[in-house]
Amino acid sequence: MAKVGIVMGSDSDMEVMAKAADILEQFGVEYEMTILSAHREPDMFFEYAKGAEERGLSVIIAGAGMAAHLPGMCAALFPLPVIGIPMYTSALGGQDSLYSIVQMPPGIPVATVAINGGANAGLLAVKILAVSDDSLKEKLKAYSEKMSAQVQEKDRRLQETGYRNYKK
Ligand code: RP5
């Protein structure tokens, strides 16, 4: 049964939302993925958000752009954590999405990641689930160790070749 709901306002958000899905797959976390617009299909949105707890979801990752109400409205109706991903937009560089998602009034928090921060949203969802799942906690530690080893390897190559010959 899916533990994480990934929901996006449009298929134009897919590339960013896929990064969250990739992380969940890496950690073996089951998820459902849905395209659903709070503005364009409000009735279906209410059905999705009100039914999310009963479907067994523990976390919702919601991504949207522009006047991005999807994450905030999920948080209004779903009792468990909601992670919001502001989408980059051509008109305002994603600041419209960011402010719409991060500036929630007291009582309805949305854990907001960076503009286009799909991967971090996935990781944050894994961390939330890891609070009550030791095997996920161990996988997170291994993930951090791997990242650290990758940076060390880059520095080792830098020291070996010098910056002029360094190849990414
Ligand atoms: C939002 O409006 C979506 O989340 C998307 O980021 C933005 C633009 O949607 P489309 O016009 O590309 O469908 O609802």
Side-chain angles (χ1 to χ4, degrees):
M1 197 160 66
K3 286 193 176 146
V4 177
I6 296 179
V7 62
M8 66 200 91
S10 170
D11 59 358
S12 57
D13 306 327
M14 184 70 78
E15 197 182 325
V16 172
M17 303 311 284
K19 290 179 189 158
D22 287 346
I23 290 284
L24 296 178
E25 283 181 24
Q26 265 183 54
F27 282 86
V29 173
E30 286 187 54
Y31 64 91
E32 55 169 46
M33 193 185 245
T34 311
I35 299 169
L36 185 64
S37 169
H39 296 134
R40 291 168 176 157
E41 40 179 5
D43 293 340
M44 289 181 76
F45 166 74
F46 270 86
E47 206 176 299
Y48 169 89
K50 282 191 163 176
E53 185 187 3
E54 210 173 284
R55 288 199 305 283
L57 299 187
S58 298
V59 184
I60 290 178
I61 299 173
M66 304 170 79
H69 294 110
L70 183 68
M73 285 305 293
C74 282
L77 294 167
F78 179 64
L80 295 170
V82 174
I83 300 166
I85 310 178
M87 294 297 145
Y88 180 83
T89 57
S90 53
L92 294 170
Q95 290 189 53
D96 42 354
S97 325
L98 174 65
Y99 291 158
S100 296
I101 295 174
V102 79
Q103 286 294 92
M104 288 298 291
I108 313 113
V110 172
T112 309
V113 296
I115 295 168
N116 283 359
N120 267 0
L123 280 168
L124 197 51
V126 173
K127 286 182 179 238
I128 289 167
L129 296 172
V131 167
S132 57
D133 184 332
D134 285 344
S135 80
L136 274 185
K137 205 191 304 179
E138 291 313 309
K139 285 184 193 174
L140 280 163
K141 287 180 189 169
Y143 181 89
S144 296
E145 279 163 21
K146 193 173 159 194
M147 266 195 311
S148 166
Q150 283 168 346
V151 180
Q152 287 171 48
E153 172 56 18
K154 286 174 186 172
D155 184 59
R156 190 196 60 72
R157 284 198 295 109
L158 172 63
Q159 303 312 321
E160 196 176 277
T161 63
Y163 79 90
R164 286 193 181 84
N165 296 319
Y166 185 86
K167 294 211 169 38
K168 281 190 194 168

PDB file of all heavy atoms in Angstrom, residues 70-102:
ATOM      1  N   LEU A  70      -2.114  24.118  -4.137  1.00  0.00           N
ATOM      2  CA  LEU A  70      -2.275  22.669  -3.942  1.00  0.00           C
ATOM      3  C   LEU A  70      -1.655  22.159  -2.621  1.00  0.00           C
ATOM      4  O   LEU A  70      -2.349  21.480  -1.847  1.00  0.00           O
ATOM      5  CB  LEU A  70      -1.698  21.928  -5.158  1.00  0.00           C
ATOM      6  CG  LEU A  70      -1.832  20.415  -5.179  1.00  0.00           C
ATOM      7  CD1 LEU A  70      -3.282  19.988  -5.334  1.00  0.00           C
ATOM      8  CD2 LEU A  70      -1.005  19.829  -6.336  1.00  0.00           C
ATOM      9  N   PRO A  71      -0.385  22.487  -2.321  1.00  0.00           N
ATOM     10  CA  PRO A  71       0.178  21.978  -1.060  1.00  0.00           C
ATOM     11  C   PRO A  71      -0.566  22.492   0.170  1.00  0.00           C
ATOM     12  O   PRO A  71      -0.857  21.719   1.097  1.00  0.00           O
ATOM     13  CB  PRO A  71       1.628  22.474  -1.079  1.00  0.00           C
ATOM     14  CG  PRO A  71       1.924  22.737  -2.523  1.00  0.00           C
ATOM     15  CD  PRO A  71       0.634  23.200  -3.116  1.00  0.00           C
ATOM     16  N   GLY A  72      -0.874  23.782   0.181  1.00  0.00           N
ATOM     17  CA  GLY A  72      -1.557  24.361   1.344  1.00  0.00           C
ATOM     18  C   GLY A  72      -2.937  23.772   1.551  1.00  0.00           C
ATOM     19  O   GLY A  72      -3.354  23.512   2.684  1.00  0.00           O
ATOM     20  N   MET A  73      -3.647  23.547   0.454  1.00  0.00           N
ATOM     21  CA  MET A  73      -4.984  22.958   0.587  1.00  0.00           C
ATOM     22  C   MET A  73      -4.905  21.494   1.011  1.00  0.00           C
ATOM     23  O   MET A  73      -5.763  21.012   1.750  1.00  0.00           O
ATOM     24  CB  MET A  73      -5.776  23.122  -0.716  1.00  0.00           C
ATOM     25  CG  MET A  73      -6.287  24.534  -0.929  1.00  0.00           C
ATOM     26  SD  MET A  73      -7.286  25.131   0.462  1.00  0.00           S
ATOM     27  CE  MET A  73      -8.722  24.063   0.333  1.00  0.00           C
ATOM     28  N   CYS A  74      -3.858  20.792   0.560  1.00  0.00           N
ATOM     29  CA  CYS A  74      -3.650  19.415   1.051  1.00  0.00           C
ATOM     30  C   CYS A  74      -3.460  19.453   2.564  1.00  0.00           C
ATOM     31  O   CYS A  74      -4.038  18.646   3.306  1.00  0.00           O
ATOM     32  CB  CYS A  74      -2.412  18.781   0.402  1.00  0.00           C
ATOM     33  SG  CYS A  74      -2.665  18.201  -1.276  1.00  0.00           S
ATOM     34  N   ALA A  75      -2.629  20.419   3.021  1.00  0.00           N
ATOM     35  CA  ALA A  75      -2.349  20.515   4.455  1.00  0.00           C
ATOM     36  C   ALA A  75      -3.600  20.876   5.254  1.00  0.00           C
ATOM     37  O   ALA A  75      -3.737  20.511   6.425  1.00  0.00           O
ATOM     38  CB  ALA A  75      -1.251  21.547   4.696  1.00  0.00           C
ATOM     39  N   ALA A  76      -4.518  21.589   4.609  1.00  0.00           N
ATOM     40  CA  ALA A  76      -5.760  21.960   5.306  1.00  0.00           C
ATOM     41  C   ALA A  76      -6.659  20.749   5.526  1.00  0.00           C
ATOM     42  O   ALA A  76      -7.401  20.695   6.514  1.00  0.00           O
ATOM     43  CB  ALA A  76      -6.501  23.019   4.488  1.00  0.00           C
ATOM     44  N   LEU A  77      -6.562  19.766   4.644  1.00  0.00           N
ATOM     45  CA  LEU A  77      -7.503  18.633   4.698  1.00  0.00           C
ATOM     46  C   LEU A  77      -6.879  17.325   5.179  1.00  0.00           C
ATOM     47  O   LEU A  77      -7.594  16.439   5.646  1.00  0.00           O
ATOM     48  CB  LEU A  77      -8.110  18.408   3.300  1.00  0.00           C
ATOM     49  CG  LEU A  77      -8.993  19.549   2.805  1.00  0.00           C
ATOM     50  CD1 LEU A  77      -9.284  19.395   1.323  1.00  0.00           C
ATOM     51  CD2 LEU A  77     -10.295  19.596   3.592  1.00  0.00           C
ATOM     52  N   PHE A  78      -5.555  17.199   5.047  1.00  0.00           N
ATOM     53  CA  PHE A  78      -4.862  15.950   5.409  1.00  0.00           C
ATOM     54  C   PHE A  78      -4.182  16.169   6.755  1.00  0.00           C
ATOM     55  O   PHE A  78      -3.445  17.147   6.920  1.00  0.00           O
ATOM     56  CB  PHE A  78      -3.837  15.632   4.302  1.00  0.00           C
ATOM     57  CG  PHE A  78      -3.005  14.408   4.511  1.00  0.00           C
ATOM     58  CD1 PHE A  78      -3.584  13.143   4.546  1.00  0.00           C
ATOM     59  CD2 PHE A  78      -1.620  14.506   4.632  1.00  0.00           C
ATOM     60  CE1 PHE A  78      -2.803  12.001   4.710  1.00  0.00           C
ATOM     61  CE2 PHE A  78      -0.831  13.379   4.791  1.00  0.00           C
ATOM     62  CZ  PHE A  78      -1.429  12.127   4.831  1.00  0.00           C
ATOM     63  N   PRO A  79      -4.405  15.266   7.732  1.00  0.00           N
ATOM     64  CA  PRO A  79      -3.905  15.553   9.082  1.00  0.00           C
ATOM     65  C   PRO A  79      -2.402  15.308   9.282  1.00  0.00           C
ATOM     66  O   PRO A  79      -1.842  15.723  10.293  1.00  0.00           O
ATOM     67  CB  PRO A  79      -4.730  14.597   9.964  1.00  0.00           C
ATOM     68  CG  PRO A  79      -5.127  13.480   9.057  1.00  0.00           C
ATOM     69  CD  PRO A  79      -5.260  14.070   7.680  1.00  0.00           C
ATOM     70  N   LEU A  80      -1.767  14.620   8.334  1.00  0.00           N
ATOM     71  CA  LEU A  80      -0.345  14.255   8.500  1.00  0.00           C
ATOM     72  C   LEU A  80       0.552  15.203   7.686  1.00  0.00           C
ATOM     73  O   LEU A  80       0.046  16.110   7.037  1.00  0.00           O
ATOM     74  CB  LEU A  80      -0.179  12.772   8.129  1.00  0.00           C
ATOM     75  CG  LEU A  80      -0.949  11.840   9.100  1.00  0.00           C
ATOM     76  CD1 LEU A  80      -0.982  10.406   8.590  1.00  0.00           C
ATOM     77  CD2 LEU A  80      -0.359  11.909  10.495  1.00  0.00           C
ATOM     78  N   PRO A  81       1.905  14.993   7.707  1.00  0.00           N
ATOM     79  CA  PRO A  81       2.778  15.995   7.072  1.00  0.00           C
ATOM     80  C   PRO A  81       2.591  16.168   5.570  1.00  0.00           C
ATOM     81  O   PRO A  81       2.413  15.200   4.833  1.00  0.00           O
ATOM     82  CB  PRO A  81       4.190  15.443   7.355  1.00  0.00           C
ATOM     83  CG  PRO A  81       4.049  14.558   8.536  1.00  0.00           C
ATOM     84  CD  PRO A  81       2.678  13.955   8.426  1.00  0.00           C
ATOM     85  N   VAL A  82       2.667  17.429   5.155  1.00  0.00           N
ATOM     86  CA  VAL A  82       2.642  17.777   3.730  1.00  0.00           C
ATOM     87  C   VAL A  82       3.950  18.511   3.408  1.00  0.00           C
ATOM     88  O   VAL A  82       4.336  19.452   4.100  1.00  0.00           O
ATOM     89  CB  VAL A  82       1.438  18.681   3.386  1.00  0.00           C
ATOM     90  CG1 VAL A  82       1.516  19.153   1.927  1.00  0.00           C
ATOM     91  CG2 VAL A  82       0.124  17.941   3.629  1.00  0.00           C
ATOM     92  N   ILE A  83       4.600  18.027   2.355  1.00  0.00           N
ATOM     93  CA  ILE A  83       5.832  18.665   1.879  1.00  0.00           C
ATOM     94  C   ILE A  83       5.493  19.370   0.572  1.00  0.00           C
ATOM     95  O   ILE A  83       4.914  18.765  -0.336  1.00  0.00           O
ATOM     96  CB  ILE A  83       6.932  17.603   1.637  1.00  0.00           C
ATOM     97  CG1 ILE A  83       7.233  16.846   2.942  1.00  0.00           C
ATOM     98  CG2 ILE A  83       8.195  18.250   1.083  1.00  0.00           C
ATOM     99  CD1 ILE A  83       8.046  15.583   2.743  1.00  0.00           C
ATOM    100  N   GLY A  84       5.844  20.636   0.486  1.00  0.00           N
ATOM    101  CA  GLY A  84       5.508  21.415  -0.710  1.00  0.00           C
ATOM    102  C   GLY A  84       6.731  21.661  -1.575  1.00  0.00           C
ATOM    103  O   GLY A  84       7.814  21.970  -1.072  1.00  0.00           O
ATOM    104  N   ILE A  85       6.550  21.516  -2.888  1.00  0.00           N
ATOM    105  CA  ILE A  85       7.632  21.823  -3.839  1.00  0.00           C
ATOM    106  C   ILE A  85       7.178  22.978  -4.738  1.00  0.00           C
ATOM    107  O   ILE A  85       6.272  22.818  -5.555  1.00  0.00           O
ATOM    108  CB  ILE A  85       7.982  20.628  -4.747  1.00  0.00           C
ATOM    109  CG1 ILE A  85       8.209  19.355  -3.924  1.00  0.00           C
ATOM    110  CG2 ILE A  85       9.216  20.954  -5.588  1.00  0.00           C
ATOM    111  CD1 ILE A  85       8.517  18.124  -4.790  1.00  0.00           C
ATOM    112  N   PRO A  86       7.818  24.145  -4.580  1.00  0.00           N
ATOM    113  CA  PRO A  86       7.489  25.265  -5.461  1.00  0.00           C
ATOM    114  C   PRO A  86       8.141  25.049  -6.833  1.00  0.00           C
ATOM    115  O   PRO A  86       9.329  24.758  -6.916  1.00  0.00           O
ATOM    116  CB  PRO A  86       8.120  26.474  -4.765  1.00  0.00           C
ATOM    117  CG  PRO A  86       8.718  25.980  -3.485  1.00  0.00           C
ATOM    118  CD  PRO A  86       8.833  24.502  -3.565  1.00  0.00           C
ATOM    119  N   MET A  87       7.344  25.213  -7.909  1.00  0.00           N
ATOM    120  CA  MET A  87       7.873  25.035  -9.260  1.00  0.00           C
ATOM    121  C   MET A  87       8.486  26.330  -9.781  1.00  0.00           C
ATOM    122  O   MET A  87       7.942  27.417  -9.550  1.00  0.00           O
ATOM    123  CB  MET A  87       6.743  24.634 -10.225  1.00  0.00           C
ATOM    124  CG  MET A  87       6.151  23.292  -9.951  1.00  0.00           C
ATOM    125  SD  MET A  87       7.368  21.992 -10.146  1.00  0.00           S
ATOM    126  CE  MET A  87       6.814  20.895  -8.855  1.00  0.00           C
ATOM    127  N   TYR A  88       9.558  26.185 -10.510  1.00  0.00           N
ATOM    128  CA  TYR A  88      10.135  27.326 -11.222  1.00  0.00           C
ATOM    129  C   TYR A  88       9.107  27.831 -12.238  1.00  0.00           C
ATOM    130  O   TYR A  88       8.438  27.029 -12.888  1.00  0.00           O
ATOM    131  CB  TYR A  88      11.416  26.898 -11.954  1.00  0.00           C
ATOM    132  CG  TYR A  88      12.042  28.039 -12.713  1.00  0.00           C
ATOM    133  CD1 TYR A  88      12.875  28.940 -12.066  1.00  0.00           C
ATOM    134  CD2 TYR A  88      11.765  28.231 -14.057  1.00  0.00           C
ATOM    135  CE1 TYR A  88      13.421  30.013 -12.743  1.00  0.00           C
ATOM    136  CE2 TYR A  88      12.311  29.308 -14.749  1.00  0.00           C
ATOM    137  CZ  TYR A  88      13.136  30.190 -14.091  1.00  0.00           C
ATOM    138  OH  TYR A  88      13.659  31.248 -14.769  1.00  0.00           O
ATOM    139  N   THR A  89       8.959  29.136 -12.339  1.00  0.00           N
ATOM    140  CA  THR A  89       8.026  29.694 -13.329  1.00  0.00           C
ATOM    141  C   THR A  89       8.758  30.718 -14.192  1.00  0.00           C
ATOM    142  O   THR A  89       9.690  31.379 -13.722  1.00  0.00           O
ATOM    143  CB  THR A  89       6.841  30.408 -12.638  1.00  0.00           C
ATOM    144  OG1 THR A  89       7.360  31.437 -11.773  1.00  0.00           O
ATOM    145  CG2 THR A  89       5.994  29.456 -11.826  1.00  0.00           C
ATOM    146  N   SER A  90       8.307  30.847 -15.439  1.00  0.00           N
ATOM    147  CA  SER A  90       9.017  31.755 -16.344  1.00  0.00           C
ATOM    148  C   SER A  90       8.774  33.220 -15.979  1.00  0.00           C
ATOM    149  O   SER A  90       9.661  34.055 -16.115  1.00  0.00           O
ATOM    150  CB  SER A  90       8.626  31.468 -17.788  1.00  0.00           C
ATOM    151  OG  SER A  90       7.234  31.492 -17.907  1.00  0.00           O
ATOM    152  N   ALA A  91       7.582  33.556 -15.478  1.00  0.00           N
ATOM    153  CA  ALA A  91       7.283  34.969 -15.206  1.00  0.00           C
ATOM    154  C   ALA A  91       8.037  35.494 -13.989  1.00  0.00           C
ATOM    155  O   ALA A  91       8.589  36.592 -14.009  1.00  0.00           O
ATOM    156  CB  ALA A  91       5.785  35.152 -15.000  1.00  0.00           C
ATOM    157  N   LEU A  92       8.070  34.717 -12.916  1.00  0.00           N
ATOM    158  CA  LEU A  92       8.633  35.229 -11.657  1.00  0.00           C
ATOM    159  C   LEU A  92       9.720  34.318 -11.076  1.00  0.00           C
ATOM    160  O   LEU A  92      10.062  34.421  -9.899  1.00  0.00           O
ATOM    161  CB  LEU A  92       7.501  35.418 -10.633  1.00  0.00           C
ATOM    162  CG  LEU A  92       6.468  36.500 -10.989  1.00  0.00           C
ATOM    163  CD1 LEU A  92       5.272  36.455 -10.058  1.00  0.00           C
ATOM    164  CD2 LEU A  92       7.099  37.891 -10.948  1.00  0.00           C
ATOM    165  N   GLY A  93      10.233  33.433 -11.875  1.00  0.00           N
ATOM    166  CA  GLY A  93      11.353  32.587 -11.446  1.00  0.00           C
ATOM    167  C   GLY A  93      11.024  31.631 -10.315  1.00  0.00           C
ATOM    168  O   GLY A  93      11.925  31.155  -9.618  1.00  0.00           O
ATOM    169  N   GLY A  94       9.745  31.380 -10.090  1.00  0.00           N
ATOM    170  CA  GLY A  94       9.362  30.443  -9.028  1.00  0.00           C
ATOM    171  C   GLY A  94       9.130  31.114  -7.683  1.00  0.00           C
ATOM    172  O   GLY A  94       8.700  30.476  -6.728  1.00  0.00           O
ATOM    173  N   GLN A  95       9.414  32.428  -7.612  1.00  0.00           N
ATOM    174  CA  GLN A  95       9.178  33.119  -6.328  1.00  0.00           C
ATOM    175  C   GLN A  95       7.686  33.176  -6.011  1.00  0.00           C
ATOM    176  O   GLN A  95       7.289  33.149  -4.840  1.00  0.00           O
ATOM    177  CB  GLN A  95       9.746  34.532  -6.378  1.00  0.00           C
ATOM    178  CG  GLN A  95      11.259  34.519  -6.384  1.00  0.00           C
ATOM    179  CD  GLN A  95      11.834  35.909  -6.209  1.00  0.00           C
ATOM    180  OE1 GLN A  95      11.487  36.610  -5.275  1.00  0.00           O
ATOM    181  NE2 GLN A  95      12.707  36.300  -7.102  1.00  0.00           N
ATOM    182  N   ASP A  96       6.859  33.258  -7.054  1.00  0.00           N
ATOM    183  CA  ASP A  96       5.406  33.210  -6.862  1.00  0.00           C
ATOM    184  C   ASP A  96       5.007  31.892  -6.199  1.00  0.00           C
ATOM    185  O   ASP A  96       4.292  31.865  -5.187  1.00  0.00           O
ATOM    186  CB  ASP A  96       4.659  33.414  -8.186  1.00  0.00           C
ATOM    187  CG  ASP A  96       5.273  32.662  -9.371  1.00  0.00           C
ATOM    188  OD1 ASP A  96       6.347  32.057  -9.209  1.00  0.00           O
ATOM    189  OD2 ASP A  96       4.665  32.670 -10.458  1.00  0.00           O
ATOM    190  N   SER A  97       5.527  30.782  -6.741  1.00  0.00           N
ATOM    191  CA  SER A  97       5.208  29.458  -6.185  1.00  0.00           C
ATOM    192  C   SER A  97       5.752  29.326  -4.760  1.00  0.00           C
ATOM    193  O   SER A  97       5.068  28.826  -3.854  1.00  0.00           O
ATOM    194  CB  SER A  97       5.838  28.354  -7.034  1.00  0.00           C
ATOM    195  OG  SER A  97       5.863  28.675  -8.390  1.00  0.00           O
ATOM    196  N   LEU A  98       7.010  29.781  -4.588  1.00  0.00           N
ATOM    197  CA  LEU A  98       7.654  29.660  -3.274  1.00  0.00           C
ATOM    198  C   LEU A  98       6.859  30.387  -2.195  1.00  0.00           C
ATOM    199  O   LEU A  98       6.530  29.815  -1.150  1.00  0.00           O
ATOM    200  CB  LEU A  98       9.078  30.222  -3.344  1.00  0.00           C
ATOM    201  CG  LEU A  98       9.836  30.298  -2.018  1.00  0.00           C
ATOM    202  CD1 LEU A  98      10.093  28.912  -1.444  1.00  0.00           C
ATOM    203  CD2 LEU A  98      11.157  31.037  -2.201  1.00  0.00           C
ATOM    204  N   TYR A  99       6.540  31.647  -2.460  1.00  0.00           N
ATOM    205  CA  TYR A  99       5.806  32.413  -1.448  1.00  0.00           C
ATOM    206  C   TYR A  99       4.414  31.836  -1.203  1.00  0.00           C
ATOM    207  O   TYR A  99       3.922  31.826  -0.074  1.00  0.00           O
ATOM    208  CB  TYR A  99       5.705  33.888  -1.855  1.00  0.00           C
ATOM    209  CG  TYR A  99       7.015  34.638  -1.815  1.00  0.00           C
ATOM    210  CD1 TYR A  99       7.204  35.799  -2.564  1.00  0.00           C
ATOM    211  CD2 TYR A  99       8.076  34.197  -1.030  1.00  0.00           C
ATOM    212  CE1 TYR A  99       8.407  36.494  -2.534  1.00  0.00           C
ATOM    213  CE2 TYR A  99       9.281  34.888  -0.999  1.00  0.00           C
ATOM    214  CZ  TYR A  99       9.447  36.027  -1.754  1.00  0.00           C
ATOM    215  OH  TYR A  99      10.627  36.714  -1.721  1.00  0.00           O
ATOM    216  N   SER A 100       3.768  31.356  -2.272  1.00  0.00           N
ATOM    217  CA  SER A 100       2.422  30.782  -2.106  1.00  0.00           C
ATOM    218  C   SER A 100       2.461  29.562  -1.186  1.00  0.00           C
ATOM    219  O   SER A 100       1.529  29.314  -0.433  1.00  0.00           O
ATOM    220  CB  SER A 100       1.860  30.320  -3.454  1.00  0.00           C
ATOM    221  OG  SER A 100       1.685  31.388  -4.327  1.00  0.00           O
ATOM    222  N   ILE A 101       3.568  28.809  -1.283  1.00  0.00           N
ATOM    223  CA  ILE A 101       3.627  27.546  -0.527  1.00  0.00           C
ATOM    224  C   ILE A 101       4.216  27.747   0.873  1.00  0.00           C
ATOM    225  O   ILE A 101       3.724  27.180   1.843  1.00  0.00           O
ATOM    226  CB  ILE A 101       4.432  26.494  -1.326  1.00  0.00           C
ATOM    227  CG1 ILE A 101       3.688  26.148  -2.633  1.00  0.00           C
ATOM    228  CG2 ILE A 101       4.650  25.228  -0.501  1.00  0.00           C
ATOM    229  CD1 ILE A 101       4.448  25.228  -3.579  1.00  0.00           C
ATOM    230  N   VAL A 102       5.256  28.571   0.964  1.00  0.00           N
ATOM    231  CA  VAL A 102       5.964  28.665   2.248  1.00  0.00           C
ATOM    232  C   VAL A 102       5.235  29.560   3.257  1.00  0.00           C
ATOM    233  O   VAL A 102       5.340  29.355   4.469  1.00  0.00           O
ATOM    234  CB  VAL A 102       7.427  29.150   2.037  1.00  0.00           C
ATOM    235  CG1 VAL A 102       7.507  30.654   1.819  1.00  0.00           C
ATOM    236  CG2 VAL A 102       8.328  28.718   3.178  1.00  0.00           C
TER     237      VAL A 102
END
